[in-house]
């Protein structure tokens, strides 16, 4: 399996075909994906290219890093794996920072501290 490359600082008009044409100059391109905004469909300025071998990927990095595409210097490097998150960790879900039912930080049923989702006084 080849190596996946991150391509950054793309012009917003770039298409998958544009990247395929460019990177085909240095080797066999297996897969291309220009990332797009889900709401507008406009390119987000980055994408991914998968080359068929590590040697071709290295050649593509050497050849196209800081390559001028429509006046913009491309950023080309090896793509890093997408980080995996524990369910709710650091995303603002659930209780604020561990503790009781209403608040984070110090624990207890209604402990204050962390400013969690329900860090106000209970209604009796």
């Amino acid at each position: 399996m080849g190596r996946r490359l991150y391509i950054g600082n793309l012009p917003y008009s770039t298409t998958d075909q544009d990247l395929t044409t460019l990177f085909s100059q240095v080797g066999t391109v297996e897969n291309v994906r220009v990332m797009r905004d889900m709401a507008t469909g406009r390119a987000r300025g980055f994408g991914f290219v998968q080359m068929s071998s590590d040697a071709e990927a290295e050649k593509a990095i050497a050849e196209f890093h800081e390559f001028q595409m429509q006046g913009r210097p491309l950023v080309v490097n090896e793509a890093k794996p997408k980080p995996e998150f524990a369910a709710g960790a650091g995303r603002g879900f659930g209780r604020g920072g561990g503790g009781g039912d209403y608040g984070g930080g110090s624990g207890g049923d209604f402990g204050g501290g962390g400013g969690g989702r329900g860090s106000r006084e209970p209604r009796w």
Side-chain angles (χ1 to χ4, degrees):
M1 186 168 121
R3 195 177 322 163
R4 190 171 172 177
L5 302 176
Y6 165 83
I7 317 301
N9 203 31
L10 288 170
Y12 293 116
S13 61
T14 304
T15 64
D16 291 354
Q17 186 59 46
D18 293 336
L19 285 184
T20 300
T21 301
L22 180 65
F23 281 81
S24 292
Q25 296 175 23
V26 296
T28 304
V29 175
E30 290 186 347
N31 188 15
V32 173
R33 184 161 183 204
V34 174
M35 304 309 289
R36 301 199 169 277
D37 182 273
M38 291 173 67
T40 65
R42 183 178 131 179
R44 294 179 59 195
F46 72 96
F48 298 95
V49 172
Q50 182 150 353
M51 302 299 291
S52 66
S53 72
D54 288 348
E56 290 173 341
E58 289 298 326
K59 187 174 180 182
I61 291 169
E63 185 80 22
F64 296 124
H65 183 67
E66 297 186 0
F67 175 82
Q68 293 288 321
M69 185 174 193
Q70 297 177 17
R72 298 182 73 150
L74 298 182
V75 174
V76 181
N77 53 39
E78 188 172 351
K80 303 206 177 352
K82 190 173 182 178
E84 294 185 30
F85 296 100
R91 294 190 185 186
F93 295 122
R95 299 180 187 135
D101 292 332
Y102 288 96
S106 64
D109 282 61
F110 303 106
R117 177 177 60 154
S119 61
R120 61 183 186 263
E121 289 287 327
R123 289 189 122 172
W124 297 108

